[in-house]
């Protein structure tokens, strides 16, 4: 570093009295800055399972690479050296003055200095006395600094020659160094950090000063106070070959290393290939003696230095060394840097392509994260495992979908090589989850085209479809379009009697063992309207026909249970005979509920039907333990239990499509009634207490009886004569009682009862309006629930023959050969689907065909017109003179207007023809 480059920095330090505070932060070198900028936060470090599995987590999935700490190229930066020199006696003054000496002024000062007697200099020079007390030492230093301010250059050289020697070596002032060495300056002098003149000269790559210092018996193997660097370290860091060779010639130790970083390390860090070669030829070891330290090969691979890597491998560098807490091998760092050449050299030298660092990442993980296709190709060509997992269970494909620059390109290479598209990490995240969370629609579309599973769920139970709906909703129209394309014309034309349509159900299949998971995911993700698509509706219809036998078995089971239980309570003589059948049915029902509970307690307790089931099990157990003769509380238990078990049978019947709407109406109206009653219960309680006080009738004698009677009166059963015209209990407060009764009739019987009736009718109308979609939702939920139970892993240990028959009987499709059905919409004998559904399918295919014809015809017509207009105008312009250009422009404008009007009229006529064809099709 020249004096001119250091001068502005010196002026800054010397003019600022608080410069020590500014030096607390050490800047990072340009190499380290470039490295840190190229690294992206990719792997998840601190994400908890609860946060990343939450449906409401809106943060994208972020991957993180552990940043490799790269040491500064220079052992010390400029600020450190200047600060240490400033701490010397008269150090500030020496830095300020010597940096300005040049030319005639320098020659004059040196001439006077060289003529001074050495004995005289020894008498006047200051020798610092060490003090244990830091305060005393600082005081003396300040005193000497103040004394130096009033001295001349000659006096400065005479009184503080060691300080001037150190400063001159760092500033590269050869003349001053030679003059000071010829006098009393010592080559063993040190600054406050232990740097000798030889250290400073090596830092500035000043060969002349090095030679002079060595001639004056400077020790080339001297360490600084921290025992980190020798002069050879400093010379290697500058990359100056001449200085390195001279120090080697002067018996500098090329293997000097205490902290694990040898001169060879700094030569590689500076990417000085000639210095690296010189050190290796001089016997420098390419490997470190300490474990888990950064070797020169790590540095070369991390910087992508092909020449240095080749040199180190040639001289026996070990490719197996692991570095730091991350335990990265050189191959990891080369892949992380994206250096294909270094990767190839390391693999040829025997590096393990599947070595894992502390996070379980292989070089392939890091190559994908660095977006280096060339490095990835090299790793794939040698047979590296494509689906290898890190500690979080993530494959290279997980990393590829999280990138934005070349993510799709990397992803296609990995998928082509056999990467599993639906592989989930330990949190349950598949690549599709990550792509959706990072709002990358193109990546999501590509993954779906490669077979990504929309129904894949995280550990928190959230499907990939839910993330797509919230993060990349623009993908959904493509999904609907894919459903449209799954319905196609297979044979003959649309108007023929033998016309055959193909319904391909593969877009509805998921990667799970069941077939209805996608239907359930659509409902959960708020896309229930998609179930109205003809393909989805056809699938649910055929699926119900396939599995309704299982619900029929459930209905038979509950019907027999209800019959036995009712007979057990009502007919006393049957209790001895029916005890064991009722007990068996009760235990079976309880076992079924335990089995359902094992698949998810949280989701189980949210369904009120399950509470009804357990109520029946509990009451049935109590009834079975009661004596044969019922008295008192036993009758109450029997009455409640027999009511609940019949309600349970009603709910089971409601699962069938033909009864489902009515049961849903009953359930919805009941829920709304109790909500309504909760809002107006205080009005009813108020009237009941008023009647209890005013009327001495037996119906109002007790407050609870009065409340029950008041609720009954809401239905219109007022019994006016029995209350007010009774001779047995005359009315004592007739005026107030009559007025209160009239108020009850108006407010409750008329207004409140009619309001409740109107709300019930409104609910029923809304249910009827949405009956089709609600029925599809119920059917999807029932089918998915049954498949979830039937294909449970808990049943894998059941008798194989029975389970195989049951599971095969529940499946509608058998991939890959049987995934579609063929229907003839114009054949009246077609009965596999309802006629309304067949009509909707036929209309969908017809509309798509006409739309394609119109689009194609419009594009051909427009292109033809444009071509004709251009050719005609060209002929007109070529055959006329320039005087008629104005007329031609007017004619061209008129032609354009006419062509536009004609095109508009043709489009209208085409639309009318399409409407006529559509009406004819619907009538057929």
């Amino acid at each position: 570093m020249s004096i001119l480059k250091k001068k502005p920095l010196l002026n800054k330090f010397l003019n600022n009295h608080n410069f020590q505070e500014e030096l607390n932060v050490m800047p990072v070198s340009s190499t380290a800055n470039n490295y840190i900028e190229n690294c992206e936060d990719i792997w998840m470090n601190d994400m908890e399972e609860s946060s990343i599995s939450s449906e409401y987590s809106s943060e994208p999935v972020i991957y993180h690479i552990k940043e490799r700490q790269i040491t500064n190229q220079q052992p010390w930066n400029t600020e450190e050296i200047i600060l240490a020199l400033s701490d010397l006696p008269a150090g500030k003054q020496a830095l300020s003055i010597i940096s300005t000496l040049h030319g005639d002024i320098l020659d004059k000062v040196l001439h006077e200095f060289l003529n001074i007697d050495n004995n005289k200099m020894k008498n006047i020079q200051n020798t610092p006395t060490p003090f244990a007390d830091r305060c005393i030492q600082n005081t003396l230093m300040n005193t000497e600094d103040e004394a130096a301010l009033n001295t001349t250059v000659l006096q400065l050289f005479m009184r503080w020659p060691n300080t001037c020697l150190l400063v001159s070596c760092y500033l590269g002032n050869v003349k001053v160094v030679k003059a000071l060495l010829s006098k009393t300056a010592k080559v063993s002098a040190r600054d406050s950090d232990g740097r000798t003149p030889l250290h400073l000269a090596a830092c500035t790559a000043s060969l002349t000063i090095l030679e002079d210092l060595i001639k004056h018996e400077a020790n080339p193997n001297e360490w600084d106070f921290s025992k980190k660097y020798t002069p050879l370290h400093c010379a290697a860091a500058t990359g100056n070959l001449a200085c390195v060779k001279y120090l080697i010639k002067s018996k500098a130790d090329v293997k000097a290393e205490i902290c694990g970083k040898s001169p060879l390390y700094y030569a590689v860090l500076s990417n000085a290939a000639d210095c690296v070669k010189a050190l290796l030829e001089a016997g420098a070891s390419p490997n470190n003696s300490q474990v888990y330290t950064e070797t020169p090969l790590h540095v070369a691979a991390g910087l992508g230095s092909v020449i240095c890597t080749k040199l180190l491998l040639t001289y026996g560098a070990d490719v197996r060394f692991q570095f730091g807490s991350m335990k990265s091998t050189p191959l990891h760092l080369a892949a992380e840097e994206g250096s294909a050449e270094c990767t190839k050299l390391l693999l040829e030298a025997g590096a393990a392509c599947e070595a894992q660092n502390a996070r379980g990442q292989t070089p392939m993980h890091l190559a994908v994260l660095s977006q280096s296709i060339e490095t990835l190709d090299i790793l794939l060509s040698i047979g590296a495992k494509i689906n290898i997992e890190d500690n979080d269970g993530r494959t290279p494909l997980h990393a590829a979908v999280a990138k934005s620059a070349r993510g799709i390109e990397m992803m296609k290479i990995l998928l082509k090589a056999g990467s599993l598209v639906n592989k989930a990490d330990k949190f349950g995240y598949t690549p599709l989850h990550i792509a959706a969370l990072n709002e990358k629609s193109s990546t999501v579309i590509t993954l779906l085209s490669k077979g990504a599973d929309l129904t894949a769920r995280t550990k928190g139970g959230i499907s990939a479809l839910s993330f797509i709906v919230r993060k990349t909703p623009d993908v959904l129209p493509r999904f609907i379009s894919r459903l449209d394309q799954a319905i196609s014309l297979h044979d003959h034309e649309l108007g023929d009697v033998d016309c055959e349509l193909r319904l391909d159900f593969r877009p509805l299949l998921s990667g799970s063992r069941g077939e209805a998971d996608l239907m359930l995911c659509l409902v959960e993700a708020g896309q229930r309207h998609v179930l109205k698509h003809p393909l989805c509706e056809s699938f649910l219809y055929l699926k119900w026909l396939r599995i309704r036998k299982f619900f029929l078995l459930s209905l038979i089971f509950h019907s027999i249970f209800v019959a036995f239980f009712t007979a057990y309570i009502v007919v006393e003589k049957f209790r001895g005979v029916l005890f064991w059948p009722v007990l068996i049915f009760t235990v079976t029902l309880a076992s079924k509920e335990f089995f359902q509970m094992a698949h998810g307690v949280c989701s189980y307790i949210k369904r009120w039907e399950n509470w009804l089931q357990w109520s029946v099990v509990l009451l049935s157990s109590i009834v079975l333990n009661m004596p044969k003769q019922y008295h008192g509380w036993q009758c109450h238990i029997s009455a409640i239990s027999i009511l609940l078990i019949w309600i349970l049978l009603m709910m089971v019947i409601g699962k069938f499509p033909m009864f489902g709407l009515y049961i849903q109406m009953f359930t919805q109206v009941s829920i709304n009634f109790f909500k309504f009653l909760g809002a107006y219960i205080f009005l009813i309680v108020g009237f009941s207490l008023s009647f209890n006080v005013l009327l001495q009738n037996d119906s109002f004698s007790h407050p609870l009886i009065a409340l029950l009677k008041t609720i009954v009166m809401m239905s219109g059963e007022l019994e006016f004569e029995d209350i007010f015209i009774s001779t047995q209990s005359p009315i004592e407060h007739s005026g107030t009682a009559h007025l209160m009764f009239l108020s009850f009739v108006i407010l409750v019987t008329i207004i409140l009862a009619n309001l409740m009736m109107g709300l019930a009718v409104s609910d029923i109308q809304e249910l009827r309006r949405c009956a089709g979609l609600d029925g599809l939702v119920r059917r999807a939920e029932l089918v998915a629930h049954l498949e979830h139970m039937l294909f449970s892993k808990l049943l894998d240990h059941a008798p194989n023959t029975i389970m195989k028959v049951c599971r095969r009987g529940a499946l509608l499709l058998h991939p890959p050969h049987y995934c579609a059905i063929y229907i003839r919409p114009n054949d009246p004998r077609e009965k596999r689907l309802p006629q309304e559904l067949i009509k909707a399918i036929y209309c969908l295919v017809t509309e798509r065909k006409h739309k394609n014809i119109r689009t194609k015809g419009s594009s051909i017509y427009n292109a033809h017109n444009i071509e004709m207009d251009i050719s005609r105008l060209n002929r007109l312009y070529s055959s006329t003179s320039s005087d008629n250009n104005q007329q031609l422009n007017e004619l061209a404008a008129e032609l354009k207007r006419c062509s536009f009007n004609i095109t508009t009229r043709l489009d209208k006529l085409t639309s009318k023809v399409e409407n006529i064809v559509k009406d004819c099709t619907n009538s057929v």
Side-chain angles (χ1 to χ4, degrees):
M1 185 181 294
S2 66
I3 299 175
L4 294 177
K5 291 181 180 179
K6 295 174 185 173
K7 187 174 179 179
L9 187 60
L10 291 174
N11 292 335
K12 173 186 174 184
F13 274 81
L14 296 173
N15 293 332
N16 189 350
H17 297 290
N18 298 323
F19 68 93
Q20 292 184 1
E21 296 180 0
E22 297 181 1
L23 300 179
N24 292 335
V25 179
M26 179 169 52
V28 185
S29 68
S30 60
T31 303
N33 277 330
N34 292 335
Y35 178 82
I36 294 171
E37 288 176 1
N38 291 333
C39 287
E40 295 184 75
D41 293 337
I42 301 183
W43 290 111
M44 287 181 289
N45 269 346
D46 303 320
M47 298 186 72
E48 299 178 357
E49 293 188 29
S50 59
S51 64
I52 69 171
S53 298
S54 173
E55 182 179 7
Y56 305 101
S57 175
S58 59
E59 296 297 326
V61 173
I62 297 177
Y63 291 80
H64 181 73
I65 295 180
K66 179 72 174 180
E67 287 186 358
R68 185 172 63 92
Q69 298 297 324
I70 293 185
T71 311
N72 190 6
Q73 286 184 353
Q74 295 291 338
W76 303 286
N77 56 43
T78 304
E79 290 83 353
E80 285 182 301
I81 296 176
I82 293 176
L83 180 60
L85 293 174
S86 301
D87 287 340
L88 293 172
K92 298 177 185 177
Q93 187 69 4
L95 285 167
S96 178
I97 291 176
I98 296 175
S99 63
T100 60
L101 291 177
H102 56 84
D104 295 336
I105 298 175
L106 176 61
D107 294 339
K108 182 180 178 181
V109 172
L110 293 179
H111 179 72
E112 295 177 0
F113 177 67
L114 292 173
N115 292 328
I116 298 174
D117 187 15
N118 290 342
N119 294 326
K120 183 179 178 181
M121 286 184 59
K122 291 180 180 179
N123 293 331
I124 65 173
Q125 75 179 27
N126 292 349
T127 302
T129 305
F131 289 92
D133 193 342
R134 185 68 177 173
C135 295
I136 298 176
Q137 186 176 355
N138 290 337
T139 303
L140 292 176
M141 290 291 297
N142 293 332
T143 303
E144 293 209 19
D145 288 341
E146 291 177 1
L149 293 175
N150 300 320
T151 60
T152 63
V153 178
L154 187 59
Q155 292 173 339
L156 185 67
F157 287 172
M158 293 172 61
R159 295 183 63 180
W160 296 284
N162 293 337
T163 299
C164 294
L165 177 61
L166 289 166
V167 172
S168 300
C169 288
Y170 180 64
L171 297 178
N173 198 321
V174 179
K175 293 181 179 181
V176 175
V177 171
K178 288 184 176 182
L180 290 170
L181 289 175
S182 65
K183 294 297 183 179
T184 59
K186 297 179 180 179
V187 293
S188 61
R190 294 176 180 267
D191 63 10
S192 60
D193 290 332
R195 284 177 282 266
T196 65
L198 203 58
H199 282 95
L200 298 173
C203 286
T204 57
S206 179
L207 178 61
T208 304
I209 296 177
L210 280 175
E211 291 174 347
D212 289 338
L213 292 170
I214 294 295
K215 288 178 183 178
H216 285 77
E217 299 182 354
N219 185 5
N221 294 314
E222 197 72 48
W223 294 88
D224 63 320
F225 287 159
S226 60
K227 299 293 183 181
K228 290 184 178 180
Y229 312 109
T230 65
L232 187 57
H233 285 84
C234 303
T238 61
N240 189 290
L241 179 62
C243 293
V244 170
K245 284 187 174 181
Y246 185 78
L247 287 170
I248 294 174
K249 183 180 179 182
S250 301
K251 305 295 179 63
D253 186 8
V254 295
K255 298 181 180 180
E257 59 169 283
I258 294 178
C259 62
K261 292 179 175 59
S262 63
L264 180 62
Y265 173 92
Y266 286 99
V268 175
L269 186 60
S270 299
N271 201 18
D274 48 359
C275 293
V276 172
K277 184 176 181 181
L279 289 167
L280 289 171
E281 290 176 348
S285 175
N287 301 311
N288 289 350
S289 58
Q290 298 179 358
V291 182
Y292 296 126
T293 55
E294 191 175 20
T295 66
L297 187 59
H298 282 100
V299 178
L303 295 176
S305 177
V306 179
I307 299 176
C308 292
T309 302
K310 188 178 295 184
L311 282 170
L312 291 168
L313 291 174
T314 302
Y315 281 86
D318 194 341
V319 296
R320 299 171 298 174
F321 267 93
Q322 294 179 320
F323 161 51
S325 59
M326 282 296 293
K327 297 183 179 180
S328 299
T329 64
L331 185 59
H332 282 100
L333 300 182
E336 184 179 331
E337 177 65 20
S339 176
E341 289 294 329
C342 289
T343 301
K344 186 176 181 181
L345 289 173
L346 291 168
L347 289 171
E348 291 174 352
C353 64
E354 294 170 4
Q356 292 181 299
N357 60 16
R359 300 182 66 89
Q361 296 167 326
T362 64
M364 184 173 290
H365 284 94
L366 300 176
V368 172
L369 294 174
S370 66
Q371 299 288 275
S372 176
I373 294 178
E374 297 79 9
T375 306
L376 180 62
D377 288 337
I378 290 173
L379 291 169
L380 290 175
S381 64
I382 65 168
K385 291 183 180 179
I386 194 68
N387 292 307
I388 192 167
E389 302 175 12
D390 63 4
N391 293 347
D392 291 328
R394 303 187 182 99
T395 65
L397 185 60
H398 285 87
V401 299
K403 303 298 291 184
S404 56
R406 306 173 73 180
I408 294 181
E409 193 174 356
M410 301 287 291
M411 182 180 61
K412 289 181 179 179
I413 293 174
L414 292 170
L415 291 172
K416 186 177 180 180
S419 184
L420 299 177
V421 70
N422 291 316
K423 178 69 179 67
D425 62 13
K426 72 176 185 179
F427 303 106
Y429 276 72
T430 64
L432 186 60
H433 283 96
I434 297 173
L437 280 177
N438 286 278
E439 301 181 3
K440 296 178 181 177
S441 301
S442 57
T443 305
V444 171
I445 293 171
T446 304
L447 287 171
L448 290 176
S449 66
K450 299 297 182 180
D453 187 5
L454 284 168
T455 65
R457 297 179 181 271
T458 65
K459 294 296 183 181
I462 309 305
S463 65
L465 180 62
S466 298
F467 288 143
I468 291 174
V469 170
R470 291 191 292 114
K471 294 290 187 177
T472 56
D474 53 321
V475 176
L476 296 176
R478 291 178 178 265
F479 175 70
I480 302 299
S481 177
R482 189 182 177 194
L483 298 182
D484 292 341
Q485 297 297 326
I487 302 177
S488 59
L489 179 64
H490 178 67
D491 195 10
H492 296 86
E493 294 298 326
L494 287 176
D496 294 347
V497 177
D498 296 329
C499 170
E500 194 171 63
L501 300 180
R502 183 175 188 267
L503 276 69
D504 188 356
F505 295 117
R506 282 179 294 181
L508 302 179
L509 296 180
S510 60
S512 59
R513 304 169 79 177
E515 296 176 337
D517 284 350
L518 181 59
M519 304 289 105
L520 185 61
C521 287
L522 288 170
V523 176
E524 293 177 351
Q527 302 297 309
R528 53 192 294 171
H529 59 276
V530 180
L531 299 182
K532 289 292 291 181
H533 191 279
L535 186 69
C536 297
E537 193 170 353
S538 301
F539 175 80
L540 287 174
Y541 178 81
L542 296 173
K543 187 68 177 178
W544 170 252
L545 295 180
R546 191 75 176 175
I547 68 168
R548 62 182 177 181
K549 53 181 172 289
F550 296 100
F551 287 99
L552 185 60
L553 292 175
S554 177
L555 176 60
I556 294 174
F557 170 82
H558 284 87
S559 299
I560 297 175
F561 183 29
V562 169
F564 284 174
F565 189 79
T566 303
Y568 181 83
I569 293 177
V570 175
V571 184
E572 183 176 349
K573 62 181 180 178
F574 287 166
R575 290 178 185 171
V577 178
L578 297 176
F579 176 81
W580 287 106
V582 173
L583 179 61
I584 292 173
F585 275 97
T586 303
V587 172
T588 304
L589 183 61
S591 302
K592 180 175 72 73
E593 296 305 310
F594 276 119
F595 177 75
Q596 295 183 16
M597 190 184 299
H599 291 83
V601 178
C602 295
S603 59
Y604 180 84
I605 62 177
K606 292 179 181 179
R607 299 172 62 90
W608 69 271
E609 294 92 342
N610 296 327
W611 291 95
L612 179 61
Q613 298 267 15
W614 279 111
S615 300
V616 170
V617 171
L618 179 62
L619 292 175
S620 176
S621 302
I622 296 174
V623 168
L624 290 173
N625 288 306
M626 291 191 305
K628 295 183 178 181
Q629 300 295 330
Y630 294 162
H631 302 286
W633 65 271
Q634 300 168 354
C635 294
H636 298 293
I637 296 295
S638 301
I640 296 173
S641 60
I642 201 170
L643 173 63
L644 292 180
I645 200 170
W646 280 93
I647 294 176
L648 177 61
L649 181 60
M650 180 187 71
M651 301 307 299
V652 173
I653 294 176
K655 292 182 180 180
F656 287 84
M658 67 175 63
F659 304 115
L661 178 61
Y662 305 111
I663 301 301
Q664 187 179 7
M665 288 180 181
F666 172 80
T667 305
Q668 189 64 40
V669 172
S670 301
I671 293 173
N672 291 336
F673 170 77
F674 285 108
K675 290 181 181 178
F676 186 87
L677 188 63
Y680 294 99
I681 189 63
F682 303 104
L683 177 63
I684 299 172
V685 170
F687 273 111
S688 65
L689 294 176
S690 300
F691 292 151
N692 177 252
V693 172
L694 295 174
L695 303 176
Q696 299 302 321
N697 192 287
D698 294 338
S699 300
F700 303 99
S701 59
H702 191 273
L704 294 179
I705 301 299
L707 177 61
L708 180 61
K709 176 62 177 177
T710 305
I711 294 174
V712 172
M713 290 169 61
M714 288 177 59
S715 63
E717 188 180 345
L718 299 177
E719 300 178 356
F720 181 80
E721 292 83 358
D722 295 338
I723 297 174
F724 291 97
I725 312 179
S726 176
T727 57
Q728 298 179 357
S729 55
I731 303 300
E732 297 182 1
H733 313 285
S734 58
T736 304
H738 287 80
L739 181 62
M740 191 68 65
F741 190 82
L742 180 60
S743 301
F744 175 81
V745 171
I746 295 173
L747 294 177
V748 178
T749 307
I750 297 177
I751 297 177
L752 196 60
N754 284 289
L755 179 60
M756 293 177 65
M757 185 67 67
L759 290 175
V761 173
S762 176
D763 291 337
I764 293 174
Q765 290 178 349
E766 180 65 20
L767 288 173
R768 284 188 174 276
R769 187 181 67 83
C770 304
L773 182 57
D774 290 339
L776 291 175
V777 171
R778 289 194 304 273
R779 189 177 298 176
E781 291 175 344
L782 287 173
V783 170
H785 178 71
L786 177 64
E787 284 190 339
H788 186 58
M789 297 295 106
L790 194 59
F791 289 92
S792 170
K793 293 182 179 180
L794 298 176
L795 294 179
D796 290 344
H797 304 289
N800 188 32
T801 305
I802 298 176
M803 293 311 305
K804 186 175 181 180
V805 172
C806 293
R807 289 174 175 176
R808 188 172 183 84
L811 293 177
L812 174 64
L813 309 175
H814 301 283
H817 304 293
Y818 302 101
C819 295
I821 65 167
Y822 300 87
I823 62 172
R824 295 185 176 184
N826 300 327
D827 190 348
R829 294 172 296 177
E830 181 63 65
K831 301 295 183 181
R832 283 178 292 177
L833 295 175
Q835 288 299 318
E836 296 81 5
L837 191 52
I838 294 176
K839 183 178 179 181
I841 295 170
Y842 187 79
C843 290
L844 176 64
V845 177
T846 304
E847 290 177 4
R848 190 171 73 241
K849 180 180 179 180
H850 289 311
K851 182 179 180 181
N852 293 337
I853 293 174
R854 184 175 63 179
T855 303
K856 183 177 179 181
S858 177
S859 61
I860 294 174
Y861 174 75
N862 291 333
H864 179 70
N865 284 343
I866 292 171
E867 184 179 356
M868 292 292 293
D869 290 341
I870 292 174
S871 62
R872 288 177 181 176
L873 289 174
N874 287 335
R875 287 198 300 270
L876 286 173
Y877 272 98
S878 63
S879 62
T880 56
S881 63
S882 60
D883 296 335
N884 295 328
N885 284 344
Q886 182 65 29
Q887 296 179 3
L888 288 175
N889 289 334
E890 294 176 358
L891 288 173
E894 184 67 25
L895 284 173
K896 289 180 180 179
R897 285 195 295 270
C898 291
S899 64
F900 177 78
N901 293 333
I902 292 172
T903 303
T904 305
R905 294 291 300 276
L906 285 174
D907 288 338
K908 291 181 179 179
L909 290 173
T910 304
S911 299
K912 290 182 179 180
V913 171
E914 289 178 356
N915 292 331
I916 293 172
V917 172
K918 188 183 295 184
D919 294 336
C920 293
T921 303
N922 294 335
S923 62
V924 172

